[in-house]
Structure formats: C-alpha cells, structure tokens
Amino acid sequence: MEKLKEKILNLKKEKNAVILAHLYQLPEIQDIADFVGDSYNLSKQASQTDAKIIVFCGVYFMAETAAIISPDKKVLLPEIDAGCPMADMITIADIEKLKIENPKAIIITYINSNAEIKAYSDIVCTSSNAVKIVKKLPKCQKDIIFVPDKYLGNYIAKQNLDRNIILFNGYCNVHSKILPDDVKNLKEKHPNSFVLVHPECRGEVIDMADEVLSTTGMINFVKNSAKKEFIICTEIGIMYKLEKDNPNKIFYHISKLAICPNMKKTTLEKVLFSLEDLKYEIKVDKNIAILANSAINKMFELSK
Ligand code: SF4
C-alpha cells in the first residue's frame, strides 16, 4: 500500500493535481488527500486551488460542483459510479411542480443534488450553513422550498425562523438508517457521552442530540471540547479523523448500518488510474453550469 501511495503522490506532483477527499472516504484515501473535509469546505478548496487538476474523492455531485465552480480546471472522479441516491431522488419535474404550487417561494437546494437542480435554484446550501443562510434572508421572504433532504429541511423549519419551509420527500438512505433506539441504547451503555448528530438524520434522532453539526462541525467541536466521550451519529468514515486527531478521547459510532457504499467505492488503485489516464473527467453543460454557479455563489456570499 505504501508503494501505491508513493506513486500517487509523485504523479500528483508531476501533473500539478490536488486531491480532495470527503470525510466519509476510506482512511487510506483521506491519508493521501491534500485536503479532507465536508461538502462546504471541499467546494471552497476547489474554488481556491491553483492546481490544474482536481481529483475528487467523493461522490458524483461533489465532483460536479467542483467542475461548476472551477470551469478552467480538469475535475476527475476516480470512480464514475460513485453516486448519491439522495441527489438522484429529485427531478426537474418535481421541482417545477413545487414552484408552480408555491410561486412566491424561493428555492434553497442542499449541495447534495445534481447540477440541473442547482441550476433551477435560487441558493445552494450545505448542512453547515443552511440555518445561517435562511436567517440572512429578508424577513418578508416567508416561503422557502427546500430540496431534496426533508430531514435537513425539517431541522431548519424547527429553528423558529418564522418561515414557511416547503419540503420535498428526499432523504439520505444512510443517515435515515440511524434510529432513536440506537442512540438510546448507546447512551444507556455510556451515560457520560455527548451525542453529536448530523442534520441529515431523522427528526427523532436530531431531538436526542446534544449538538447538531455538519461533519466538519463535528471535527471542530470535538477538538475544542473538554468532554471525553462522544456518540457519533453520521456516516462511519468520519471516525478515522476523529480518532486520529483525538487519541485521548473515546468515540462510539452509532450504527453498523450507517455506511455509505458509494463513498467506499474510491480505492487507491482507482485514484492512481485516475491520475494516470485523467479520468473520469466531469463536465457540466455550460448553460446549466452558469446558473448553478450563481446559486452556489449566493451560498458563499450568505455564509460569510
Ligand atoms: S452519505 Fe447519504 S447523502 Fe452522503 S453521499 Fe452517501 S447517500 Fe448521499
């Protein structure tokens, strides 16, 4: 494995490439990445890098977002079949229907969505900035269509922001497998532990949280917390960085079912092939990219 890693790092340098990896990627992928983070931080990195090539170790919509933000760069996804079932749940017909039914509403779209949906939207958001963005909208903007994640949308709706949040029935089929009983059972076993929950989880699970945080939010919270034991309610990949960065703290992952198979499709071999053959290049239709980029830029503006 070390030889493979060395080959990747040499080739990366030779080709002026940067490797971005999501926190749900396999440990060995996180180890060779220049930057590991959540969707928001990875999109920021994609927009700021000087590298000519971005190898995106994540799922399709993430590489697509990087390609939209950085049209002058070559964005590669090492595993072309790494998709996101939640992103694929919503179609243009669904979003058009919601807009016809709610003509005064603006559309806020979770970054975990395909380019066409982003292009149809007013603003994109991530789990770390969704509430902040809604808070910054003018008070007169009451109606908000939030897609595709009903759990994140419902979490925003519960923040007493005096908005009418119109939801779509989309959800992450990994986070939705985390159940209230899983939290209850772990909490009984480890009563001193602090419960961190990702807002893609079910409302009943969010209600049991001590803190509701994005993945990067969890990483930062744990680092700065005096607490020693944590129950982690999100995809299992985050455990690697949490344990690596905090050897004196204890982490309990919530459920064996909270594993995203798409995030685990990227292997070191595939990253090497990606750099060798410059594939799979992610391209977005120019007109869609312009509209989607405008919605993404509004996110950057509003989340400052
Ligand atoms: S964890 Fe959920 S939202 Fe994230 S890529 Fe996997 S299926 Fe999609």
Side-chain angles (χ1 to χ4, degrees):
M1 192 190 281
E2 288 315 306
K3 276 208 163 158
L4 195 51
K5 283 185 183 174
E6 203 183 309
K7 265 188 173 177
I8 292 170
L9 297 179
N10 288 338
L11 201 53
K12 184 188 78 153
K13 213 169 161 188
E14 196 184 295
K15 300 215 170 177
N16 190 12
V18 66
I19 300 178
L20 305 183
H22 193 271
L23 281 155
Y24 298 161
Q25 289 285 292
L26 293 168
E28 58 270 30
I29 300 295
Q30 296 190 34
D31 281 345
I32 50 135
D34 295 284
F35 189 82
V36 181
D38 62 9
S39 300
Y40 180 74
N41 288 286
L42 293 175
S43 11
K44 271 253 156 209
Q45 289 295 320
S47 69
Q48 289 165 357
T49 180
D50 290 331
K52 286 209 170 93
I53 299 171
I54 298 172
V55 180
F56 213 114
C57 301
V59 294
Y60 193 93
F61 76 79
M62 295 178 177
E64 196 179 50
T65 305
I68 291 166
I69 295 171
S70 309
D72 51 331
K73 301 202 173 93
K74 200 183 268 295
V75 178
L76 306 174
L77 184 67
E79 167 54 67
I80 195 66
D81 288 330
C84 169
M86 172 156 71
D88 294 337
M89 278 177 191
I90 188 162
T91 64
I92 285 291
D94 294 324
I95 204 163
E96 276 174 351
K97 185 169 175 278
L98 282 168
K99 185 69 185 173
I100 290 167
E101 287 165 1
N102 304 279
K104 287 187 182 157
I106 61 159
I107 302 171
I108 302 186
T109 293
Y110 189 26
I111 200 162
N112 298 25
S113 55
N114 295 324
E116 296 78 10
I117 304 297
K118 287 186 178 82
Y120 201 98
S121 312
D122 297 290
I123 311 170
V124 166
C125 75
T126 67
S127 57
S128 59
N129 59 30
V131 172
K132 190 175 183 179
I133 286 173
V134 173
K135 276 185 184 167
K136 281 203 178 167
L137 296 176
K139 285 279 171 227
C140 58
Q141 184 59 63
K142 292 283 180 221
D143 292 349
I144 296 169
I145 295 169
F146 188 87
V147 297
D149 185 0
K150 65 177 173 184
Y151 294 127
L152 176 58
N154 194 43
Y155 172 68
I156 300 166
K158 283 176 121 180
Q159 303 305 305
N160 295 325
L161 303 176
D162 193 23
R163 315 283 174 157
N164 173 32
I165 309 281
I166 300 137
L167 300 174
F168 175 76
N169 189 25
Y171 57 92
C172 164
N173 63 359
V174 175
H175 286 85
S176 65
K177 291 195 177 90
I178 299 172
L179 300 175
D181 271 356
D182 296 328
V183 183
K184 188 171 159 272
N185 293 342
L186 259 187
K187 189 74 190 172
E188 273 168 18
K189 274 194 211 157
H190 309 286
N192 294 327
S193 57
F194 206 69
V195 181
L196 305 185
V197 176
H198 193 281
E200 280 176 28
C201 289
R202 293 167 182 271
E204 308 92 286
V205 174
I206 291 179
D207 289 345
M208 298 168 89
D210 291 307
E211 287 287 339
V212 181
L213 296 162
S214 67
T215 46
T216 297
M218 288 186 191
I219 299 285
N220 294 336
F221 182 87
V222 166
K223 194 169 141 199
N224 298 318
S225 172
K227 301 199 180 295
K228 292 281 178 228
E229 288 180 62
F230 300 88
I231 292 174
I232 303 298
C233 303
T234 188
E235 207 272 348
I236 197 164
I238 195 173
M239 298 295 282
Y240 178 63
K241 188 161 171 60
L242 284 173
E243 286 170 347
K244 193 166 98 175
D245 290 358
N246 306 278
N248 299 323
K249 295 182 180 174
I250 303 168
F251 301 97
Y252 309 105
H253 186 245
I254 189 65
S255 164
K256 284 192 182 114
L257 300 178
I259 299 177
C260 177
N262 284 290
M263 283 284 185
K264 311 304 178 203
K265 284 180 179 168
T266 308
T267 60
L268 285 177
E269 285 82 0
K270 286 176 189 170
V271 175
L272 179 66
F273 300 155
S274 175
L275 276 165
E276 281 175 347
D277 304 334
L278 298 182
K279 63 183 193 185
Y280 296 91
E281 188 175 355
I282 304 302
K283 290 192 173 172
V284 183
D285 172 89
K286 208 175 159 197
N287 293 328
I288 289 176
I290 290 169
L291 291 170
N293 199 29
S294 152
I296 294 167
N297 279 333
K298 282 196 194 119
M299 167 182 78
F300 287 137
E301 272 165 46
L302 291 169
S303 53
K304 271 181 202 156

